[in-house]
Amino acid sequence: MNRAPLIFLGIFFALAFSWTGIVLVNQISYGDLTPVYDENDGIAYPQALPGIAQQGRLVYQDLGCVYCHTQQVRRPGFGADIERGWGERQSVARDYIREPRVFLGSMRTGPDLRNVGTRYVDTPTSKAGSEWHHRHLYDPQITSPGSNMPPFKFLYETRKIVGEPSVNAITHLLPEQYQPEAGYEVVPTKRAESLVAYLLSLKDTYAYPETNNVYVEPAPEETKAAGQKEESK
Amino acid sequence: MANPSSLAASLSPEASPDLVKRAELSEIDASTKAPAIFLLGSSVLWLLLGTVFALIASFKMHSPNFLGDYEWLTFGRIRTAHLNAVVYGWSVNASFAVAIWLMARLARGVLRHTGLLFTATVFWNLGVTIGIAGILLGDSTSIEWLEFPPYATPLLFVAYALIGAWAIITFRFGKSNHIYVSQWYILAALFWFPWLYSVAQIMMIFSPARGTVQSLVNWWFAHNVLGLWFTPIGLAAVYYFLPKVLGKPIHSYYLSVLGFWSLAIFYNWAGVHHLIGGPVPVWVQSAGIAASFMMVVPVVVTAINHHMTMVGSFGALKTSPTLRFIVFGAVSYTLASLQGSSMALRSWNEVTHFTHYTVGHSHLGMYAFFTMVMFGAIYYILPRILLKEWPSAPLISVHFWTTAVGVIFYVVAISVGGLKQGFEMNNADIPFIETVKNTIIYLELRSYAGVLMTVGHIAFAVNFTWMLAKRRKAGATAPTLFRTGPEIELEASAR
């Protein structure tokens, strides 16, 4: 008896089942999710990344940061994401709709970065956020001794000072043992600048209609955890 | 080379009435020779390269400044190169060789026009090479399991289509009219993979879906490569070699059918468990959890079937290296799968997700199960297509013991470290950096385990090369067995 056709049909329908259920149904049901237009701000959220951050996203992609960092905050009560100050609310599907490639990630060797833009911040008067990132990327041991995040020194150029020192140089931010020879300076490459711009831009602070149900007032412990976070910086 | 079939027949240890049939089998084996040797040779090279990548990545995890100044060796790239080298280089090449060889034997079909098939296998390896180079140079897509840059994948797809078509043609035009359970698995895998791969490529890279639909497609693909490609190929090999080496039929035909269909139905929904707690609809997550849990059915059924086949024959483990690797793999399959089901449960997932524990789990599956089964299969197949003995029995022992002890040590170390990491990460009173420091010792232990496994891979590669190079000696055709089992493919209605 030749049962090959029957077996083949079974094989076909087995996969067709999940292809329909996981891929097709979801593509139809939320594959065309749109931004929410906020009348008060006159802005559609989520906002698109500025151009330089888009470049940085590609650096993030090519260096494989995604293998150690997630970009998804789990709901309160499921893990300690909120308590650790990784976000004010759970991440929702709408947060990602502007991203050409979604970096949810599956590994937390390092902290979640979905809202890292709220933790290290540049203000009009201070570049504290970028400076922290540059020192950290140059060698994580500078800011976070004991970290196993790799150094990204190769995103920086050590070059001879010709004329005036560069305004972008980060030489003054580096500790003693990282100082270049006299007459040299350490300057971020374009890739380093754009990566930092990307990191500064990462934040989901807007509350969508659907996040109102999942958002929970911060528990009292959170302030404590956040305080520790400040110290560890 | 003299007519291989007559040569093999005259050397057959069993001068039996089966002689004619054995001659036919030898002819079939001989027809697979060129592509199979090329595939196996490349797979061994990729295994070595993948192991080097793995060691570098592993060392970097506890000593981040190790080779820290080279951009192309940065953790995010070398780890990715490792995964792709061992998955698409080693594992897929080995799967192709084993699947084609099994298919030809079981269908009793001589492989024809091997020139074209050979070309396809060359293209596959070219595609993998381009892909890995692309990753190291910074063109990775950073989509897990689909990192190859878009300029490598069309080549892979065409090569795959040709190789798959060959196996199916061999099946279609073979003389056997019985379809053994191994063939079910191989046919299904050959059909499932291109579907998964093409949907994933289109919806992730060529015309990306919006938002986290991408993530669903990603894990639908990535988990199904394991479940609907590697698992069926691995199980096909177990279902073939276990009874073959033991010389007795598989315990229950009905259990093997039940195992097959329950796997086909449940496994392909399970991938969503990688997104539990993530920004995708909760009902899909729940469906994924349910399916993951239902995987207990095919796994237990298969485990019972394999175990009942083994019962009473454990002595054979001493004499057959093939059997040793295969049994180790089969047991690991059961453990890895049951562990996988448990990891999908929400309460346990909350701890283990995002930790090194998952890395331990994937090595239990892809290494302790799949890779060990492939080793066993290669120990059986190569002597039959080359008509030579393995040159060194001690090297086989070294290979088995270092990889077996190594992978157990690996999985235990990284799992303990991962659990510690998971529990600590969920306790916001412990600063994050402390949780990182507390994993370092386990990551170091993992590196030592990796070194041990590397020793095994070198022993294997030396034996393999030596085997290809050495001359054929008359007088031995069944080197990896002391007893020749009934030919599954020759019994009219093998059960």
Side-chain angles (χ1 to χ4, degrees):
Chain A
M1 183 177 70
N2 186 0
R3 280 178 306 172
L6 214 61
I7 295 177
F8 178 76
L9 269 184
I11 290 172
F12 174 83
F13 280 112
L15 190 58
F17 185 36
S18 73
W19 177 70
T20 313
I22 298 177
V23 179
L24 208 56
V25 168
N26 285 296
Q27 170 65 17
I28 293 168
S29 68
Y30 80 102
D32 54 359
L33 213 57
T34 48
V36 169
Y37 182 73
D38 188 320
E39 312 239 314
N40 300 328
D41 306 4
I43 295 175
Y45 292 95
Q47 287 179 279
L49 290 182
I52 178 159
Q54 291 285 8
Q55 303 269 305
R57 200 182 55 77
L58 296 176
V59 179
Y60 189 89
Q61 169 181 326
D62 92 52
L63 293 176
C65 312
V66 70
Y67 299 103
C68 287
H69 290 286
T70 53
Q71 285 194 26
Q72 50 175 318
V73 179
R74 294 187 288 182
R75 67 179 159 78
F78 194 70
D81 300 19
I82 308 271
E83 287 90 334
R84 283 199 175 276
W86 290 343
E88 295 176 346
R89 60 163 172 85
Q90 173 182 10
S91 301
V92 294
R94 204 185 299 271
D95 290 328
Y96 301 85
I97 58 179
R98 296 260 201 183
E99 286 162 33
R101 184 155 300 149
V102 172
F103 297 127
L104 287 191
S106 60
M107 183 68 183
R108 283 180 176 168
T109 304
D112 188 86
L113 297 182
R114 190 66 201 165
N115 292 288
V116 73
T118 62
R119 302 202 280 280
Y120 305 99
V121 189
D122 278 1
T123 61
T125 53
S126 136
K127 292 217 152 228
S130 333
E131 288 177 355
W132 189 89
H133 281 307
H134 282 307
R135 289 161 64 214
H136 184 241
L137 286 172
Y138 192 78
D139 188 344
Q141 305 307 326
I142 299 175
T143 54
S144 323
S147 171
N148 62 355
M149 171 157 154
F152 293 96
K153 283 197 192 91
F154 51 76
L155 294 179
Y156 297 83
E157 209 183 321
T158 302
R159 64 180 190 203
K160 212 178 172 109
I161 304 177
V162 201
E164 283 295 294
S166 163
V167 283
N168 295 328
I170 59 156
T171 325
H172 63 288
L173 302 173
L174 302 175
E176 193 72 57
Q177 70 268 37
Y178 294 88
Q179 287 296 331
E181 291 172 47
Y184 283 77
E185 61 183 354
V186 179
V187 188
T189 58
K190 217 172 160 280
R191 294 171 74 211
E193 297 283 13
S194 56
L195 180 60
V196 169
Y198 174 65
L199 294 171
L200 292 174
S201 77
L202 283 175
K203 49 180 172 265
D204 293 329
T205 38
Y206 191 78
Y208 300 105
E210 66 266 32
T211 60
N212 291 335
N213 321 332
V214 293
Y215 178 67
V216 173
E217 282 298 310
E221 294 96 69
E222 204 209 345
T223 34
K224 200 172 106 208
Q228 272 177 350
K229 189 87 210 150
E230 287 303 5
E231 279 162 34
S232 68
K233 282 179 200 169
Chain B
M1 187 168 63
N3 180 353
S5 52
S6 62
L7 182 65
S10 69
L11 295 178
S12 175
E14 221 172 313
S16 69
D18 277 349
L19 210 62
V20 186
K21 290 172 176 176
R22 287 189 180 282
E24 181 194 328
L25 275 189
S26 292
E27 192 192 341
I28 292 172
D29 286 353
S31 76
T32 63
K33 182 170 174 178
I37 297 219
F38 182 76
L39 285 166
L40 291 177
S42 342
S43 73
V44 174
L45 281 179
W46 284 118
L47 178 70
L48 290 181
L49 200 62
T51 310
V52 173
F53 292 161
L55 282 180
I56 297 177
S58 180
F59 275 85
K60 277 170 174 274
M61 276 238 116
H62 49 77
S63 312
N65 283 309
F66 173 64
L67 299 176
D69 291 335
Y70 303 96
E71 173 161 9
W72 63 285
L73 291 176
T74 191
F75 178 83
R77 293 199 190 160
I78 200 78
R79 172 243 184 248
T80 310
H82 156 64
L83 184 141
N84 284 277
V86 294
V87 168
Y88 296 102
W90 149 249
S91 303
V92 173
N93 271 311
S95 316
F96 281 152
V98 170
I100 287 174
W101 186 83
L102 278 181
M103 205 47 143
R105 267 212 165 190
L106 287 167
R108 292 172 64 198
V110 172
L111 213 56
R112 286 173 212 287
H113 302 292
T114 44
L116 211 56
L117 177 60
F118 187 78
T119 318
T121 58
V122 173
F123 275 136
W124 177 268
N125 283 288
L126 204 62
V128 177
T129 312
I130 295 175
I132 303 256
I135 290 171
L136 291 176
L137 296 176
D139 285 339
S140 159
T141 63
S142 272
I143 303 170
E144 286 188 70
W145 290 78
L146 289 165
E147 286 97 347
F148 282 157
Y151 50 76
T153 45
L155 193 61
L156 290 174
F157 193 84
V158 173
Y160 182 92
L162 274 173
I163 297 170
W166 241 255
I168 289 175
I169 290 170
T170 309
F171 167 73
R172 180 70 186 73
F173 294 104
K175 280 191 235 156
S176 171
N177 49 14
H178 173 75
I179 310 179
Y180 182 65
V181 58
S182 294
Q183 286 168 289
W184 296 37
Y185 280 110
I186 295 174
L187 282 176
L190 287 170
F191 173 76
W192 283 327
F193 183 79
W195 186 344
L196 295 164
Y197 199 63
S198 50
V199 169
Q201 286 293 333
I202 291 169
M203 292 188 71
M204 303 284 306
I205 293 169
F206 292 102
S207 157
R210 184 176 296 181
T212 58
V213 175
Q214 279 180 18
S215 315
L216 285 168
V217 178
N218 189 178
W219 287 112
W220 176 75
F221 168 81
H223 204 77
N224 280 342
V225 178
L226 299 169
L228 301 184
W229 171 260
F230 291 120
T231 302
I233 302 278
L235 288 182
V238 177
Y239 268 115
Y240 180 85
F241 290 110
L242 207 56
K244 184 86 180 170
V245 177
L246 293 178
K248 62 186 188 194
I250 200 83
H251 171 69
S252 158
Y253 175 76
Y254 294 100
L255 281 185
S256 51
V257 173
L258 178 63
F260 176 81
W261 288 114
S262 46
L263 177 119
I265 290 168
F266 297 128
Y267 215 135
N268 63 99
W269 273 85
V272 201
H273 62 214
H274 288 270
L275 295 167
I276 295 172
V280 299
V282 177
W283 72 266
V284 217
Q285 298 176 27
S286 301
I289 295 170
S292 306
F293 207 74
M294 290 306 287
M295 276 303 294
V296 170
V297 175
V299 169
V300 168
V301 163
T302 307
I304 293 175
N305 214 1
H306 290 163
H307 183 77
M308 295 307 285
T309 309
M310 270 310 284
V311 163
S313 309
F314 286 99
L317 285 176
K318 281 208 203 101
T319 56
S320 164
T322 293
L323 195 63
R324 253 192 247 170
F325 279 102
I326 298 270
V327 168
F328 187 95
V331 172
S332 305
Y333 171 65
T334 312
L335 295 178
S337 306
L338 294 179
Q339 184 194 26
S341 296
S342 73
M343 287 163 73
L345 298 177
R346 274 198 174 83
S347 52
W348 192 228
N349 184 275
E350 182 184 356
V351 177
T352 63
H353 200 186
F354 304 136
T355 70
H356 298 298
Y357 188 79
T358 312
V359 180
H361 171 63
S362 59
H363 285 80
L364 189 56
M366 274 308 285
Y367 196 97
F369 160 49
F370 185 79
T371 295
M372 292 302 257
V373 168
M374 289 297 113
F375 287 148
I378 294 172
Y379 278 118
Y380 189 93
I381 293 174
L382 206 58
R384 281 163 182 75
I385 44 186
L386 291 176
L387 302 174
K388 305 180 200 172
E389 278 270 15
W390 283 96
S392 163
L395 281 178
I396 301 182
S397 282
V398 171
H399 180 202
F400 178 76
W401 288 108
T402 49
T403 50
V405 173
V407 72
I408 293 173
F409 184 21
Y410 179 115
V411 173
V412 170
I414 203 78
S415 303
V416 173
L419 285 182
K420 197 165 157 58
Q421 179 195 10
F423 281 112
E424 292 184 353
M425 193 143 52
N426 285 350
N427 177 357
D429 293 337
I430 306 177
F432 191 86
I433 190 74
E434 293 307 315
T435 73
V436 173
K437 288 182 192 159
N438 290 342
T439 59
I440 300 292
I441 173 80
Y442 301 97
L443 296 171
E444 282 168 358
L445 288 175
R446 186 258 298 265
S447 285
Y448 300 141
V451 170
L452 200 57
M453 289 151 78
T454 308
V455 171
H457 295 166
I458 293 173
F460 176 53
V462 168
N463 219 1
F464 186 94
T465 321
W466 187 356
M467 170 117 167
L468 290 185
K470 83 169 195 168
R471 286 181 173 212
R472 179 178 308 133
K473 205 163 59 186
T477 53
T480 45
L481 295 177
F482 287 153
R483 211 162 20 129
T484 312
E487 305 293 5
I488 294 171
E489 49 281 83
L490 298 184
E491 285 168 23
S493 58
R495 292 223 132 186

